[in-house]
Amino acid sequence: MNHELIGLSDELSEAVASASAFTVGVNGRNSYGSTGIAWGGGVIVTADHTLERDDDIAVMLPDTADTPDTADTAAILVGRDPANDLAVLRAECNLPPPPRAGDIRVGTLTLAIGRGTGRNVSASLGIVSAIGEPRHRRGGRVADGLIRPDLTMYPGYSGGPLVTVSGTLIGINTSRLGGGALTIPATTVDLVVEQILAHGRIRRAYLGLTSQPVRLAPQQAASAGQETALVVVGVEEGSPSEVAGIIVGDVLTTFDDQPIRDTDDLRTGLSAAAAGKQVSVRVIRGHEVRQLAVTIGER
């Protein structure tokens, strides 16, 4: 008898039992259900693409001292973030928030938990096969890189947790953001939940321009203190950029007093900027350097 394997088996079973305490079923579409995670205070987070309606949503709660029998309860949709495939619900429940995992590395042993196909939880075992770099998505910035678990995501697993073998939460699983299964880190989910609870939506700052990187001429580079910047190739009609006087051909070198060397720099600046805030931008127009004031828009 291999005692090490028995010990590992017991540890995995305990992890599933621990995760089931904050894993709920979500009934928000006409086909099979999906899974959600209790985020504390009656807040439940699930995958946006699994909610095909905005009302008549029910969640299946796990057995707890407060709900001795697994039961259905109505949930209200608070808001959606399709860019990150997240939706936030509120329900009458008193489930504890999940304990968080520490540092996750490629090769970490993980479990995906689902409650979408019935009242009982199910689980899938694998490892973290890749961790992406922090990246930008259209319409907003993802705080941390998506995680790719090497395991099977069965029907109904989207919106459910990926946990360590200790039952601590790594993030929320989705099948919508790329090829195969991906996990949205819990830190990213926190940012989305905070905004949706505060505003009912994700507030995304925008300028209304399109640009591409350009290498500055030696004299311009010496004056600006940087070798690259962004040349404006398009300005939306009526956008904050047009109102501020930015035109096609302007070379954007700073935004809110920070150097802009590439599109990532500009997106990072917009991520940190609040909608409605007025910031200073510096552009090179022909042989002139101009300082313009632009009021950040929201959409």
Side-chain angles (χ1 to χ4, degrees):
M1 182 178 296
N2 192 319
H3 295 287
E4 290 184 357
L5 288 179
I6 293 174
L8 175 60
S9 177
D10 290 342
E11 188 173 356
L12 295 176
S13 296
E14 288 297 323
V16 173
S18 296
S20 68
F22 54 78
T23 303
V24 303
V26 178
N27 183 4
R29 55 185 173 185
N30 295 327
S31 56
Y32 53 85
S34 59
T35 307
I37 302 175
W39 218 253
V43 174
I44 292 171
V45 186
T46 188
D48 175 66
H49 80 270
T50 68
L51 294 182
E52 296 177 350
R53 52 183 182 264
D54 290 345
D55 49 21
D56 192 25
I57 300 170
V59 297
M60 291 178 289
L61 304 177
D63 293 343
T64 68
D66 296 328
T67 57
D69 298 316
T70 306
D72 291 350
T73 187
I76 298 173
L77 177 65
V78 181
R80 297 175 181 266
D81 178 16
N84 287 311
D85 195 31
L86 293 171
V88 177
L89 309 172
R90 277 197 184 276
E92 290 294 331
C93 62
N94 188 27
L95 299 176
R100 304 300 181 84
D103 291 337
I104 300 300
R105 300 178 295 173
V106 172
T108 296
L109 198 62
T110 60
L111 290 156
I113 311 296
R115 201 188 284 273
T117 57
R119 296 191 179 277
N120 295 326
V121 295
S122 57
S124 181
L125 176 67
I127 64 167
V128 171
S129 64
I131 300 176
E133 295 292 328
R135 63 174 188 155
H136 300 274
R137 294 183 59 80
R138 182 177 177 82
R141 183 173 187 272
V142 175
D144 293 297
L146 296 172
I147 298 165
R148 184 174 295 279
D150 182 16
L151 44 70
T152 301
M153 290 281 189
Y154 295 105
Y157 271 46
S158 282
L162 185 75
V163 301
T164 66
V165 293
S166 299
T168 55
L169 180 69
I170 297 171
I172 291 182
N173 298 319
T174 176
S175 61
R176 185 53 61 91
L177 293 181
L182 290 170
T183 302
I184 307 158
T187 50
T188 298
V189 182
D190 282 334
L191 297 175
V192 171
V193 170
E194 180 182 0
Q195 285 203 47
I196 288 180
L197 291 180
H199 308 291
R201 67 191 189 282
I202 300 300
R203 304 180 69 182
R204 304 198 190 281
Y206 91 110
L207 290 177
L209 62 78
T210 53
S211 62
Q212 63 185 39
V214 63
R215 183 167 292 278
L216 297 176
Q219 186 175 356
Q220 293 174 327
S223 175
Q226 59 196 70
E227 295 183 352
T228 59
L230 291 178
V231 60
V232 177
V233 297
V235 178
E236 295 179 19
E237 184 178 353
S239 68
S241 291
E242 185 185 60
V243 172
I246 297 174
I247 63 175
V248 172
D250 281 349
V251 178
L252 180 63
T253 59
T254 70
F255 175 86
D256 201 14
D257 297 324
Q258 298 300 313
I260 300 298
R261 302 179 180 87
D262 53 33
T263 52
D264 278 349
D265 283 346
L266 182 56
R267 287 168 178 159
T268 299
L270 277 174
S271 297
K277 176 184 176 182
Q278 187 178 83
V279 300
S280 175
V281 297
R282 183 179 301 156
V283 301
I284 301 173
R285 183 176 298 173
H287 298 290
E288 297 181 8
V289 176
R290 300 193 180 195
Q291 204 81 20
L292 303 174
V294 57
T295 300
I296 305 301
E298 177 187 346
R299 64 179 175 190

